Amino acid sequence: MAKARRAVSHKQDKLSRRRVRWANRWHARRAARARPATGFVSQPEPRTIGSFARGKQLVSGNFLFAGHHVTDEAASIWQITPPSPSFAEEVQGFTWLDDLASLGDLEARRRAQAWLAEWIALYGGGKGPGWTPDLTGRRLIRWINHALFLMSGQEGDESFDFFRSLGQQTIFLSKRWQAASPGLPRFEALTGLIYAGLSLTGMEAHVDPAMQALARECADQIDAEGGIPTRNPEELLEVFTLLNWAASALSEAGRMAAGEHLAAIERIAPTLRALRHSDGGLARFHGGGRGLEGRLDHALATSGVRASVNVGLSMGYARLSAGRSSIIMDAAAPPPGAASVNAHASTLAIEVTSGRRPLIVNCGSGAHFGEAWRRAGRATPSHSTLGIEGLSTARLGPPETVDGVARSLIVEAPRDVRIQHIAEDGLSGFVAGHDGYLLSHGLTHIRRIELSVDGRDIRGEDTLAAIGEADQQLFSQALDRVALQGIAYSIRFHLHPDVDAELDLGGTAVSMALKSGEIWVLRFDGVGELTLESSVYLEKNRLKPRATKQVVLSGVAMDYATRIRWSLAKAQDTPSAIRDLEREDPAGLP
C-alpha cells in the first residue's frame, strides 16, 4: 500500500513539474512578443562581485560549473553540451558574467558581448532551459549590473536587442515569479523583478507588486531568529545579499523598502554573525559551503545593521568563541518537510576554527560530484560528531559506499534536541542531547563542550545513555542482536585538508599542525581506540573531492551509560602563528 502511494505521489509530482515547464514556456513565448524597454531610467551600479581568476579561466576556454570541467578554447559557452542539468542552470543564470566583468579587459568584454548576443539569438524567443523564474531573476540582475560593461562600443542594433530582451524577461518574471519555489528561488525572482522595474523605462508598474510580494516572503520565510527553513547557512547568506541589493536599489531610486523587508535584514544579520567562524567563513552545515571569501563580511557591512549577539541559538546552531578560537555546533533537528531535501544528519556535529585556519570541519555537500557523493555527504559519518556504527541520524535512504567509505543510513531522525548553556569561571560551553538512536537502541546521545577563556583549551564529553526503564529494555534488546558484543560507536573529527596530522606513538594522541604554525593535540580518556583515517573535503568549486584526514575515537557501549572524554588543546604558537595574529589584530597581542 505504501509503495503504491509513493508511486502515485511520484506520478503527481512529475505531472506537476510538466505543467510548470509548459506554463513557463507559454509565458516566455508570449513575453517575447511584448514591447521592449527602450533604455535605463538611471545608470545601474554593479553590486555583484566576481572572481578575477575564474574570469581568466573563462577567457582561456576553461568552463567550470557545477563540479564539471569542460575545456574548449574555440567554443562558445552556448555550444557546449551541458554534462548535467545543474551545469546548464549555472550557465543560464549568467553568474559567470560577474567573473568576466571582474577581469574587465578587452577580451573579457568581447566574450561577454558575443555570448550575450548569442543567448538572445538562441533563447530570446522564449525557448531553452533558462526560462524559469529564479534563473530569469538571476540573469536580469547580472545584465543590469553589468550593462555598461556589456554595451560599451556596441552598435544601435545590439543595444535594441539587449533592451528588448530585458523587457521581455521582466514581463515574463512579472507573470511567473509565483511559480518559483519558496525560499531562495523566489527571493531571486522578486529581486530581479524589482531591479528591472526600477532600472528600465516602461517597467515601473512592476515595482510595487514585487515589493509587496517580497515583503510577504520575508514575513513567511525568515523566522524570528533570522533563519530559513533549510537551515543552510550559505543559502541564508544568499538571501541576505539579495535583500540588501533590493533595499539599496530602492533607496537609490528614492523609495524605501517595506517594513517586513527591512526587519528581515535586521533579524538575519546577527544570525549570520553567529554562523561566522573566526576566519570569516561560514559554518558548513545542511548543504552549505563556507561562501566566497569576503562575501559574508561585505554583506554584513553593506546591510548597515549594527553588530549584536543573538541570545541562545541562531537558526538552530550554538556558538562558542574565545581568544582566537570559534566552535559552532548544530544543536537542532534536521529540517522537516520540503526543506529536508538537502538536509544533513549533522545533529550535535561541531566545527572548530583557530584564527584564520579551519581545524575541525564537516565533509560538506557532495551534490556537485553526483548522487552517490550527495548522499554520502549528508550522512552522520561525514560530520564531526558521534555515530553508532552503520547508522545515521536522518531520514536519508538506503546504505551507500563511496570510494570504500561506508555511509550507512537509517530511517529515524532526531525529534527531541535539547541544549543548555554553561558559564563558569574560566570557561564557557554547552550541554546538548538528541534522541536519534532512541528507537533503534534505546540510547540518547549527550555532548558537552567547554572552551577556556583564552580559547586554547577545548574539553569534550560524549555520552550514550539509556535513561529510562523502557530505554534500558531497548538497549538490552540491541545488545542481544549483536550477541552481547557491545554497540559499536565512533566519534569523528574531520580535519581541514590544510591540517597536517600525525598519530603519536602509542596511539594515545594526535598532533595537528596548522599552516600558521600552531600545533593542536587531541587526547581522550577511557577505554577505546584512537586512529587516524582517510576522509574527504567536499567543495562545489572543485573538480573532485579533496583528500584529507579524520581522527576517529571508537569503542563499544556495553552499559546503560558510556562516557567518552576528550580534549583538544593548543600546544604551542610558532613565530608564523604570531605573525598571523598580528595581521588579524595588532592590539590583541600580549
Side-chain angles (χ1 to χ4, degrees):
M1 180 67 83
K3 186 175 181 181
R5 283 197 298 267
R6 286 196 297 269
V8 170
S9 177
H10 177 73
K11 186 175 182 179
Q12 290 173 341
D13 290 344
K14 190 174 182 180
L15 287 172
S16 177
R17 289 194 297 269
R18 189 178 298 169
R19 291 192 192 100
V20 169
R21 287 196 297 268
W22 181 88
N24 284 341
R25 286 197 295 268
W26 187 84
H27 281 284
R29 290 168 184 170
R30 188 176 182 185
R33 298 192 293 270
R35 281 194 321 181
T38 56
F40 285 115
V41 176
S42 60
Q43 182 174 333
E45 180 180 342
R47 289 187 176 88
T48 52
I49 302 172
S51 164
F52 179 88
R54 284 174 62 87
K56 293 282 286 185
Q57 290 177 344
L58 286 167
V59 168
S60 64
N62 289 286
F63 303 97
L64 175 59
F65 299 104
H68 298 277
H69 184 210
V70 179
T71 303
D72 191 335
E73 293 183 17
S76 159
I77 201 168
W78 309 115
Q79 294 171 5
I80 298 168
T81 301
S84 71
S86 54
F87 185 101
E89 287 179 4
E90 288 198 19
V91 173
Q92 288 282 341
F94 270 75
T95 52
W96 47 264
L97 193 55
D98 297 337
D99 303 322
L100 290 178
S102 179
L103 180 58
D105 61 13
L106 184 61
E107 182 60 21
R109 177 180 285 111
R110 187 185 69 79
R111 295 269 178 144
Q113 291 172 340
W115 293 346
L116 172 72
E118 193 172 351
W119 186 92
I120 294 172
L122 290 171
Y123 307 115
K127 301 177 182 179
W131 286 93
T132 64
D134 54 325
L135 289 178
T136 302
R138 193 181 308 168
R139 189 166 54 242
L140 278 174
I141 292 170
R142 268 68 191 185
W143 285 25
I144 293 170
N145 270 347
H146 302 301
L148 295 179
F149 176 69
L150 290 167
M151 290 295 99
S152 178
Q154 293 288 77
E155 300 293 334
D157 289 344
E158 286 88 353
S159 295
F160 177 83
D161 290 342
F162 176 66
F163 286 112
R164 179 180 62 185
S165 185
L166 279 173
Q168 291 165 350
Q169 292 178 68
T170 304
I171 293 170
F172 166 79
L173 205 50
S174 71
K175 303 295 184 183
R176 293 299 295 162
W177 68 262
Q178 299 95 329
S181 300
L184 180 58
R186 194 168 290 180
F187 282 113
E188 283 190 307
L190 288 170
T191 301
L193 186 55
I194 289 173
Y195 252 52
L198 292 173
S199 301
L200 300 171
T201 57
M203 298 296 156
E204 298 88 348
H206 299 303
V207 176
D208 284 338
M211 287 176 61
Q212 294 166 11
L214 186 60
R216 290 194 297 271
E217 289 301 308
C218 287
D220 292 344
Q221 295 295 313
I222 311 300
D223 64 24
E225 293 181 356
I228 54 178
T230 62
R231 300 190 55 232
N232 180 328
E234 188 176 22
E235 187 174 314
L236 181 65
L237 172 58
E238 294 297 328
V239 169
F240 184 66
T241 301
L242 289 167
L243 294 179
N244 280 341
W245 289 346
S248 296
L250 288 165
S251 177
E252 289 169 6
R255 309 179 66 154
M256 180 172 286
E260 297 90 339
H261 180 168
L262 298 176
I265 292 175
E266 292 273 354
R267 294 198 302 276
I268 294 173
T271 297
L272 283 174
R273 287 191 175 97
L275 298 175
R276 179 190 183 277
H277 277 299
S278 54
D279 67 338
L282 282 166
R284 295 171 9 120
F285 288 96
H286 292 292
R290 296 181 60 80
L292 294 175
E293 187 174 354
R295 179 102 183 258
L296 173 56
D297 289 342
H298 182 267
L300 289 170
T302 301
S303 72
V305 179
R306 294 181 62 183
S308 61
V309 179
N310 278 351
V311 177
L313 300 182
S314 298
M315 202 166 70
Y317 299 96
R319 174 189 175 87
L320 293 174
S321 60
R324 304 176 65 226
S325 302
S326 63
I327 304 171
I328 297 176
M329 181 174 76
D330 184 355
S340 67
V341 173
N342 293 309
H344 283 213
S346 58
T347 310
L348 304 195
I350 61 170
E351 289 199 324
V352 179
T353 296
S354 177
R356 289 139 54 108
R357 307 290 174 176
L359 176 56
I360 294 173
V361 297
N362 296 306
C363 290
S365 172
H368 285 79
F369 305 111
E371 180 60 21
W373 274 113
R374 186 184 80 89
R375 295 165 73 88
R378 298 174 67 199
T380 298
S382 295
H383 299 85
S384 294
T385 187
L386 178 146
I388 290 179
E389 187 173 317
L391 304 182
S392 182
T393 56
R395 193 181 299 273
L396 304 180
E400 290 283 358
T401 300
V402 180
D403 283 5
V405 181
R407 298 287 190 257
S408 299
L409 312 172
I410 61 170
V411 297
E412 195 57 46
R415 293 172 296 178
D416 187 6
V417 182
R418 304 184 186 187
I419 184 168
Q420 179 179 344
H421 287 263
I422 303 167
E424 299 176 0
D425 290 341
L427 63 85
S428 60
F430 33 66
V431 179
H434 76 78
D435 63 349
Y437 303 117
L438 196 62
L439 293 182
S440 60
H441 291 76
L443 293 171
T444 297
H445 175 207
I446 303 168
R447 168 164 272 193
R448 182 186 181 101
I449 305 288
E450 299 173 351
L451 178 64
S452 64
V453 70
D454 59 4
R456 299 175 65 91
D457 189 18
I458 300 169
R459 300 281 172 170
E461 180 180 278
D462 285 283
T463 302
L464 286 171
I467 299 172
E469 184 176 341
D471 299 344
Q472 292 171 5
Q473 290 178 356
L474 286 172
F475 178 70
S476 297
Q477 293 169 10
L479 279 178
D480 290 340
R481 291 196 297 268
V482 294
L484 303 179
Q485 296 301 304
I487 306 302
Y489 65 82
S490 295
I491 304 173
R492 300 176 186 273
F493 303 89
H494 295 275
L495 306 180
H496 189 272
D498 291 339
V499 176
D500 186 12
E502 183 178 345
L503 185 65
D504 290 355
L505 292 177
T508 59
V510 173
S511 298
M512 294 167 281
L514 307 186
K515 291 287 187 181
S516 63
E518 293 179 6
I519 305 293
W520 288 77
V521 178
L522 189 146
R523 295 183 174 88
F524 80 103
D525 295 331
V527 179
E529 182 182 10
L530 188 66
T531 57
L532 191 59
E533 301 178 7
S534 298
S535 183
V536 291
Y537 188 76
L538 304 170
E539 294 177 283
K540 64 183 178 182
N541 290 326
R542 288 184 174 262
L543 293 176
K544 58 184 180 179
R546 296 176 69 184
T548 186
K549 297 289 186 182
Q550 61 175 313
V551 180
V552 182
L553 229 176
S554 55
V556 294
M558 298 290 294
D559 301 317
Y560 292 146
T562 301
R563 183 176 290 108
I564 311 99
R565 295 186 179 93
W566 50 268
S567 65
L568 182 61
K570 187 187 292 188
Q572 66 182 62
D573 285 322
T574 65
S576 60
I578 294 174
R579 285 195 297 272
D580 255 10
L581 177 58
E582 289 175 333
R583 286 194 293 269
E584 289 173 32
D585 183 10
L589 284 173

